[in-house]
Amino acid sequence: MRLLLLLCLPLFAFAQTAPPYQVKFTTEKIKIDGVLDEQTWAAIPTIGTFWQYFPADTLKAVYKTEVKLTFDDKNIYVSAKCHAQHKNYVVLSYRRDYRAGSNDNVSFIFDTFNDRTNAFLFGTNPLGVMREALLYNGATDNTFFSEFWDNKWTAESKIYDNYWTTEVAIPFTTLRFKEGTTQWLFKSYRFDTQINEQSTVVQIPQNQLIMNLGYSIPIVFEKPLRKTGANISLIPYIATGNSQDFVNPKNPNNGTRFNVGGDAKIAVTSGLNLDLTVNPDFSNVEADRQIINLTRFDINLPEQRQFFLENSDLFSGFGSYVINPFLPPQGNLGGAGNQILSPFFSRQIGIAKDSTTGLGVPNRIVYGARLSGKLDDNWRVGLLNAQTADDEFKGISGANFAVASVQRKVFSRSNIAAIFVNKQTLHPEMGRNLSSFNRVGGLEYNFTSRDSRWQGKAYYHQSFSENKQKDAFANGFSLMYSVLKYTFRWAHDWVGKGYDAEVGFVPRKDFLRINPTLGFSFYPRTRLVNRYSVGVALEQYSMPNVGVTDRTAGPFLSMSFQSSARMLLSLNQNYTYLFSDFDALRSNGKLPSLKQGGSYTYYNASLNYFSDQRKKWWLFAQP
């Protein structure tokens, strides 16, 4: 009996539910200056006790983090007093939307619909640098973190001898919530670089991400939340420029251009948002990270245009993701190259193929409208319509893009979702091989258990096009079970030869992909190593009538060091089947090429490594 109790204690420790925190209403004007001298802060209690997440996950944090919440008619306020060993804090960048790792900082997460699936994140550091993000799919993987979302809120911090404080004001107009509600879910976590500790206001096992929404505490407001009036944001622009194409004097873009347009964001309800854009100008969007693509296939880069960001998972979250539970957190490039396929990829809107050169070029967006958000506690909806312009000089026809999606919550953290995508080419005669329409319909089931041990997905998509191709389908299934000592994940995707999603991301067709992974984790807690995992992984592609075309298989070693350095080392056997001749040495035909139809087996070692980023000099290596 005693043995049974001892075995159950760790499970109970992580499963227990904290009592609700009472958020008091205040009439005092709170000045956001980082100095917690208002009477309100002195009168209200601290929210919970912070527990270690790293280097251990069963101990209380060494230094206290005192977080408090209050609200008035317009804002929710957060204060934090972060005790520390001394005041030599690490701040790697003054850039907004910094990444939390290896910085001194504190983050606050609000799950405003209590669904443990979608949430808003706000964070700041000792210098008052701010970051915000949208979390979706339960934040069970770094993939489900959108750092490109920006909105209106304020924060200030102040440094003292043995602690630093921060004060945050978030307008209710920035958040989406059900009017009249009295309860949200909340969590907070902190990185303390001086003692290399990560801590959270609710205990989280190390095999789960620190931002996982399955581990939150309820907060109860003293009175129901109300709308604070009209929530409308307008962003107009005027731009002018001059260009001259000396090779093509008849280029209609020659000469001086004068452009006028703008964006609008309108809160239809407290949970539903309408985005509008007319003749948008995306010149101020952050440039993509430069990535060297050594594969034979396209990779997808994350969407950064604000018009497409809020509730983006309702549109671009369908399909299959590359998920490696043993990859170091810093190894995720903000979503770059992390999808196997998707029926809708918003970056396809605003780009088209130049019929004269065959290259992808920008295509002006005439207008766009996007309605997305929560209808109630269980239903979410997304509607999008956008139109691009004709470009006769480049042989590009304008097109109308329409997307409709709906998501229904089932069980505690799971959902059933459907999507329909339609692309209507307005003048197909303007270009080469342009079809009049392309459509995709899809149905998906996303499963996450309440404690995040089980995660899975099943999907089926069907495309419809003018030429009515056979095998125009894509389907897949994934399931992962993860506990402290081991993780197993199975995933497969089957894409038919005729699957054609012109507005999606489909880098290859006519394949069956399988991707099982099994790993065992150990926690030696030595002076050097905090945790290490060993296992084996396989990723294999095969085609009908051909057999296996690509395979990578082998053991791996993942290590987390006490210094916060991370490493993933894998030894792989690779197999590649060639569909065309390949001049591997780039000799321009001077040396023999590898011949079409040949298959080759070769071996390689792959290393992901991130050293201790708290140091002035640090190193990362990534294949």
Side-chain angles (χ1 to χ4, degrees):
M1 183 65 179
R2 291 180 180 177
L3 178 61
L4 179 61
L5 288 173
L6 288 173
L7 291 174
C8 291
L9 275 176
L11 300 179
F12 175 76
F14 292 117
Q16 59 184 324
T17 302
Y21 175 80
Q22 303 296 321
V23 186
K24 299 295 184 180
F25 183 83
T26 183
T27 56
E28 182 180 9
K29 181 176 176 59
I30 295 180
K31 182 180 179 182
I32 304 301
D33 55 7
V35 181
L36 310 182
D37 54 357
E38 286 84 3
Q39 185 61 34
T40 297
W41 295 130
I44 59 179
T46 299
I47 181 169
T49 300
F50 272 63
W51 292 81
Q52 281 190 7
Y53 172 78
F54 180 90
D57 58 11
T58 56
L59 304 175
K60 290 185 178 180
V62 176
Y63 290 95
K64 289 184 178 180
T65 304
E66 302 173 22
V67 175
K68 299 180 179 182
L69 302 175
T70 188
F71 74 109
D72 59 20
D73 290 327
K74 294 184 177 181
N75 304 295
I76 182 167
Y77 300 95
V78 189
S79 74
K81 184 176 182 180
C82 304
H83 297 265
Q85 198 172 48
H86 48 71
K87 62 178 182 180
N88 296 327
Y89 301 108
V90 175
V91 176
L92 294 179
S93 173
Y94 294 98
R95 174 181 175 271
R96 186 163 179 154
D97 292 335
Y98 60 88
R99 295 308 295 262
S102 302
N103 287 268
D104 277 289
N105 66 89
V106 63
S107 297
F108 314 106
I109 296 176
F110 296 92
D111 178 355
T112 57
F113 283 92
N114 305 290
D115 59 10
R116 302 180 187 269
T117 303
N118 300 276
F120 302 89
L121 179 146
F122 303 88
T124 186
N125 63 25
L127 298 183
V129 183
M130 300 157 59
R131 73 178 189 134
E132 67 267 83
L134 295 176
L135 308 181
Y136 56 98
N137 285 357
T140 55
D141 187 83
N142 284 296
T143 299
F144 309 134
F145 178 97
S146 176
E147 63 184 355
F148 303 110
W149 175 72
D150 292 313
N151 221 307
K152 182 180 178 181
W153 61 291
T154 56
E156 292 291 343
S157 300
K158 189 171 180 61
I159 297 175
Y160 298 88
D161 286 339
N162 296 106
Y163 64 92
W164 63 277
T165 59
T166 191
E167 210 166 15
V168 174
I170 305 169
F172 285 117
T173 54
T174 293
L175 303 170
R176 307 288 175 256
F177 58 90
K178 184 179 179 181
E179 187 175 6
T181 189
T182 58
Q183 178 176 303
W184 291 354
L185 293 176
F186 173 82
K187 71 184 300 182
S188 177
Y189 61 87
R190 177 190 172 192
F191 285 62
D192 183 350
T193 65
Q194 296 176 12
I195 59 172
N196 197 25
E197 180 184 77
Q198 301 170 23
S199 58
T200 70
V201 75
V202 58
Q203 279 186 277
I204 304 175
Q206 281 191 357
N207 66 299
Q208 304 293 341
L209 290 186
I210 196 170
M211 61 186 179
N212 190 311
L213 299 180
Y215 299 86
S216 305
I217 60 176
I219 57 174
V220 177
F221 294 90
E222 187 174 9
K223 64 179 187 177
L225 300 179
R226 302 296 179 190
K227 287 185 65 175
T228 57
N231 181 8
I232 301 175
S233 299
L234 300 176
I235 309 175
Y237 83 89
I238 299 175
T240 185
N242 184 280
S243 64
Q244 186 67 39
D245 186 345
F246 295 98
V247 176
N248 299 293
K250 295 183 179 180
N251 189 328
N253 293 319
N254 286 341
T256 301
R257 300 185 309 278
F258 184 79
N259 294 322
V260 178
D263 299 319
K265 184 180 286 286
I266 304 169
V268 179
T269 68
S270 54
L272 205 58
N273 189 73
L274 175 64
D275 290 278
L276 301 172
T277 187
V278 177
N279 192 28
D281 174 39
F282 297 121
S283 60
N284 61 344
V285 174
E286 184 177 348
D288 291 321
R289 300 187 186 189
Q290 293 187 356
I291 297 175
I292 299 175
N293 181 15
L294 299 179
T295 72
R296 296 172 290 162
F297 306 100
D298 293 337
I299 61 172
N300 64 323
L301 294 168
E303 178 63 82
Q304 301 187 51
R305 297 172 291 182
Q306 287 295 317
F307 172 77
F308 294 100
L309 289 183
E310 189 163 344
N311 295 305
S312 61
D313 62 298
L314 281 170
F315 301 95
S316 300
F318 289 79
S320 178
Y321 286 86
V322 177
I323 293 179
N324 184 344
F326 296 97
L327 187 68
Q330 301 96 327
N332 184 289
L333 288 176
N338 64 354
Q339 275 191 301
I340 302 295
L341 64 92
S342 176
F344 176 73
F345 182 42
S346 59
R347 291 183 62 138
Q348 297 282 15
I349 301 177
I351 192 169
K353 182 175 289 187
D354 187 332
S355 295
T356 61
T357 64
L359 300 176
V361 295
N363 184 207
R364 184 173 67 87
I365 297 176
V366 179
Y367 71 83
R370 188 172 175 272
L371 181 71
S372 63
K374 280 268 195 178
L375 297 178
D376 56 28
D377 290 341
N378 296 316
W379 288 95
R380 298 175 72 209
V381 65
L383 300 172
L384 182 149
N385 187 272
Q387 187 158 313
T388 56
D390 290 335
D391 190 333
E392 294 184 12
F393 181 74
K394 297 177 181 178
I396 296 174
S397 168
N400 183 268
F401 302 84
V403 185
S405 70
V406 63
Q407 185 184 93
R408 164 73 184 187
K409 178 184 175 183
V410 294
F411 308 119
S412 60
R413 300 180 65 195
S414 305
N415 63 73
I416 298 173
I419 189 171
F420 181 76
V421 183
N422 179 63
K423 176 185 177 182
Q424 203 77 29
T425 304
L426 303 181
H427 305 102
E429 69 279 359
M430 290 181 60
R432 301 174 185 172
N433 302 319
L434 293 180
S435 59
S436 298
F437 67 89
N438 178 260
R439 296 166 187 147
V440 178
L443 184 66
E444 301 195 351
Y445 173 58
N446 299 282
F447 171 74
T448 303
S449 65
R450 190 175 184 86
D451 59 5
S452 299
R453 291 187 176 192
W454 291 96
Q455 300 169 38
K457 181 172 193 170
Y459 70 91
Y460 182 86
H461 303 158
Q462 184 78 30
S463 67
F464 308 89
S465 54
E466 200 171 13
N467 54 10
K468 297 182 180 179
Q469 297 189 39
K470 294 182 179 180
D471 298 329
F473 66 85
N475 63 65
F477 173 81
S478 66
L479 184 66
M480 182 169 72
Y481 180 74
S482 179
V483 291
L484 280 170
K485 292 188 176 181
Y486 62 90
T487 296
F488 172 74
R489 184 175 189 272
W490 169 271
H492 74 256
D493 302 278
W494 184 14
V495 180
K497 186 176 182 178
Y499 182 67
D500 185 17
E502 291 185 11
V503 197
F505 176 73
V506 189
R508 60 199 295 178
K509 304 177 185 179
D510 196 22
F511 69 84
L512 171 65
R513 170 185 178 265
I514 61 172
N515 180 211
T517 303
L518 174 64
F520 298 89
S521 298
F522 304 89
Y523 303 83
R525 304 286 198 251
T526 65
R527 294 184 61 183
L528 178 64
V529 178
N530 178 270
R531 178 180 66 173
Y532 68 92
S533 303
V534 294
V536 63
L538 165 70
E539 183 178 31
Q540 177 175 289
Y541 288 83
S542 58
M543 287 181 61
N545 304 319
V546 176
V548 176
T549 61
D550 301 270
R551 181 176 60 237
T552 299
F556 64 83
L557 169 65
S558 174
M559 299 187 72
S560 299
F561 298 93
Q562 298 288 14
S563 66
S564 77
R566 300 284 192 272
M567 182 192 77
L568 174 63
L569 173 66
S570 58
L571 303 175
N572 300 312
Q573 181 197 64
N574 302 279
Y575 173 89
T576 301
Y577 175 87
L578 294 182
F579 290 90
S580 59
D581 292 348
F582 178 48
D583 185 1
L585 299 177
R586 301 294 192 269
S587 65
N588 293 322
K590 296 179 181 179
L591 296 174
S593 298
L594 303 179
K595 297 301 181 181
Q596 174 184 349
S599 58
Y600 300 88
T601 300
Y602 51 100
Y603 299 84
N604 77 297
S606 175
L607 175 69
N608 279 270
Y609 178 73
F610 291 81
S611 67
D612 185 357
Q613 293 178 303
R614 298 173 300 162
K615 306 298 183 181
K616 290 184 178 180
W617 294 92
W618 55 275
L619 170 72
F620 82 92
Q622 189 169 5

